[in-house]
Amino acid sequence: MAKEKPHVNIVFIGHVDHGKSTTIGRLLFDTANIPENIIKKFEEMGEKGKSFKFAWVMDRLKEERERGITIDVAHTKFETPHKYITIIDAPGHRDFVKNMITGASQADAAVLVVAATDGVMPQTKEHAFLARTLGINHIIVAINKMDMVNYDEKKFKAVADQVKKLLMMLGYKDFPIIPISAWEGDNVVKKSDNMPWYNGPTLIDALDQIPEPPKPTDKPLRIPIQDVYSIKGVGTVPVGRVETGVLRVGDVVIFEPASTIFHKAIQGEVKSIEMHHEAMQEALPGDNIGFNVRGVGKNDIKRGDVAGHTTNPPTVVRPKDTFKAQIIVLNHPTAITVGYTPVLHAHTLQVAVRFEQLLAKLDPRTGNIVEENPQFIKTGDSAIVVLRPTKPMVIEPVKEIPQMGRFAIRDMGQTVAAGMVISIQKAE
């Protein structure tokens, strides 16, 4: 494979109706990345000029994608002069979380879209918190709908200050804040004449300047499995994204916790690796791949399992074990107490976990302990807790393999908390 541009995964976040999908649609349209057949459909429907529904473009792309199975499932790609960018489309909050945590990708950067008409809203805060907890270190702010406030600099500054306060409280430092109108196309790909007072980068310039994410090739191999296919003439092909380490043809890999079911290890030799339908000899972190393993059947492994080398297998936490985690409660209708059993989402995994202990409540700003062994924790609280999975799962301490140590907790169709694994306590 030719040396490609650095690959960056980006997620668009922000409050509902602030224009995330429209911004993505505009980016793709102005960089000529919308498939021809979709543009044709618009023309047939007379969707032209002002009534161009960019958000509709994303929905159509999604349908197109769902019909054909490719390794990079819900993603849209485009290139800037120096980067190859994959957009993880996350229109609704629910999708955002699923994609961020259990999707094929962990985002390297986020674009936070905030409407100039509304400013910072509850979901703006929630998404920003989540991005931070999930380890997204690079953020770009797009203040959208500037056309609806007559491109007013004062209005932009007021909203920019709100966002700045929120992000700095979360520990973000240098981030561009760009006034845009996704609907009209101001400052998305083309510099706007409507805001002569702004002389910073356009959105595409800012995307082009995202630092290349470091590739953790020195860490043990971890590939969370997203799907398993049986391909005629090839055999069983697990599909997933390499989070850490390097996978080479000829390596012997083991799948966990698949091997615990019949007490026999599910392992074998890697016969071939491919990405975007091209064969490759080795796969690095960030690569979405399919790989064929000799001696492994389609029913031996499933989504949520993790592949690693037999010499350094993935860490399995069983129901007799527990793990200590730091969490932030984003949204719970009442309070969380010992015994609460919601669903934990990490990499491609979903497993119910029980809250065994509430060890301490923390000050979210400083991380200092404010209360030992609290009776309950509620929305807005940060805490150290002990969790027990209801079935075996792979998770790693965040200090050892950060990519495998972050998770979200969901219940009642919403994200209740986000957190990271501090340590794992194995039962004797």
Side-chain angles (χ1 to χ4, degrees):
M1 283 173 74
K3 175 75 185 107
E4 292 176 358
K5 295 175 182 174
H7 181 210
V8 179
N9 292 298
I10 292 179
V11 67
F12 278 68
I13 59 177
H15 195 72
V16 64
D17 289 338
H18 277 195
K20 297 186 288 289
S21 290
T22 310
T23 306
I24 297 169
R26 170 59 82 179
L27 259 175
L28 295 175
F29 184 71
D30 284 1
T31 54
N33 274 292
I34 295 175
E36 202 53 48
N37 58 339
I38 292 182
I39 291 179
K40 277 210 177 70
K41 270 188 220 162
F42 275 128
E43 286 168 354
E44 282 158 25
M45 294 176 67
E47 295 269 4
K48 278 193 190 149
K50 280 282 176 278
S51 62
F52 200 113
K53 293 191 176 69
F54 289 108
W56 194 83
V57 170
M58 287 315 282
D59 297 342
R60 285 297 161 273
L61 281 172
K62 212 167 188 174
E63 275 171 36
E64 298 278 314
R65 287 195 296 250
E66 280 162 6
R67 278 196 223 109
I69 297 175
T70 56
I71 285 175
D72 23 42
V73 198
H75 301 122
T76 306
K77 300 196 238 348
F78 76 103
E79 293 189 32
T80 64
H82 303 104
K83 298 283 188 303
Y84 172 79
I85 288 178
T86 300
I87 293 177
I88 305 166
D89 179 28
H93 183 47
R94 233 170 251 192
D95 284 13
F96 163 65
V97 173
K98 255 199 335 263
N99 271 321
M100 281 283 303
I101 294 145
T102 70
S105 238
Q106 250 188 328
D108 304 304
V111 175
L112 176 62
V113 180
V114 185
T117 46
D118 287 342
V120 170
M121 300 293 278
Q123 249 179 28
T124 316
K125 289 183 184 159
E126 193 176 352
H127 282 193
F129 264 106
L130 210 47
R132 192 64 182 152
T133 310
L134 290 167
I136 293 180
N137 296 323
H138 196 84
I139 202 159
I140 293 166
V141 180
I143 308 250
N144 189 24
K145 306 196 181 184
M146 286 302 296
D147 55 309
M148 292 175 75
V149 296
N150 298 321
Y151 301 106
D152 179 20
E153 183 180 8
K154 272 201 194 74
K155 187 72 191 159
F156 166 72
K157 283 195 162 145
V159 175
D161 284 346
Q162 284 182 0
V163 182
K164 210 179 276 175
K165 212 181 264 160
L166 167 69
L167 293 181
M168 286 170 85
M169 183 187 90
L170 293 177
Y172 283 108
K173 289 189 176 67
D174 301 326
F175 45 89
I177 304 182
I178 307 162
I180 68 164
S181 162
W183 190 259
E184 300 292 344
D186 296 283
N187 286 344
V188 179
V189 172
K190 305 179 179 110
K191 200 119 181 77
S192 168
D193 295 332
N194 293 313
M195 293 175 272
W197 44 265
Y198 173 75
N199 53 18
T202 59
L203 181 56
I204 200 155
D205 294 339
L207 292 173
D208 195 41
Q209 287 158 17
I210 291 171
E212 183 182 357
K215 289 196 185 293
T217 49
D218 55 331
K219 298 225 181 308
L221 176 72
R222 296 292 181 265
I223 309 172
I225 304 306
Q226 202 181 324
D227 266 312
V228 185
Y229 299 113
S230 192
I231 297 176
K232 232 185 162 147
V234 181
T236 305
V237 178
V239 165
R241 176 179 192 252
V242 182
E243 287 295 343
T244 54
V246 181
L247 179 72
R248 295 186 176 90
V249 173
D251 284 358
V252 178
V253 293
I254 185 165
F255 294 86
E256 294 283 11
S259 54
T260 58
I261 306 167
F262 307 108
H263 301 290
K264 108 179 180 348
I266 304 295
Q267 64 184 66
E269 186 190 332
V270 178
K271 283 161 62 179
S272 62
I273 307 172
E274 71 163 50
M275 179 162 76
H276 307 322
H277 311 297
E278 279 185 41
M280 52 205 285
Q281 285 306 299
E282 63 168 30
L284 301 174
D287 290 347
N288 284 304
I289 59 165
F291 56 110
N292 171 238
V293 184
R294 181 179 287 129
V296 173
K298 184 178 189 313
N299 298 327
D300 294 340
I301 49 180
K302 62 187 185 314
R303 181 184 169 93
D305 288 342
V306 177
H309 287 127
T310 47
T311 49
N312 192 338
T315 306
V316 181
V317 184
R318 296 185 174 83
K320 59 180 189 209
D321 308 322
T322 58
F323 60 95
K324 197 196 289 188
Q326 180 172 338
I327 65 166
I328 179 155
V329 185
L330 297 163
N331 197 353
H332 192 278
T334 52
I336 292 174
T337 53
V338 167
Y340 176 52
T341 309
V343 176
L344 176 140
H345 291 241
H347 53 88
T348 58
L349 153 105
Q350 300 177 18
V351 168
V353 295
R354 182 178 190 272
F355 277 72
E356 291 285 306
Q357 283 175 278
L358 307 179
L359 294 179
K361 203 157 40 169
L362 309 175
D363 179 331
R365 279 176 301 279
T366 60
N368 296 335
I369 293 177
V370 286
E371 188 185 343
E372 304 254 4
N373 305 314
Q375 289 299 295
F376 63 87
I377 49 176
K378 58 184 195 319
T379 301
D381 285 346
S382 184
I384 306 272
V385 298
V386 174
L387 301 171
R388 181 186 300 279
T390 55
K391 58 184 199 201
M393 60 181 238
V394 167
I395 202 155
E396 309 276 355
V398 83
K399 282 209 163 63
E400 287 165 32
I401 309 182
Q403 295 75 4
M404 302 292 294
R406 303 181 188 281
F407 60 86
I409 284 176
R410 289 176 62 79
D411 190 13
M412 308 162 290
Q414 60 183 354
T415 306
V416 172
M420 48 195 179
V421 179
I422 297 171
S423 60
I424 293 168
Q425 288 73 44
K426 292 271 193 185
E428 286 313 311

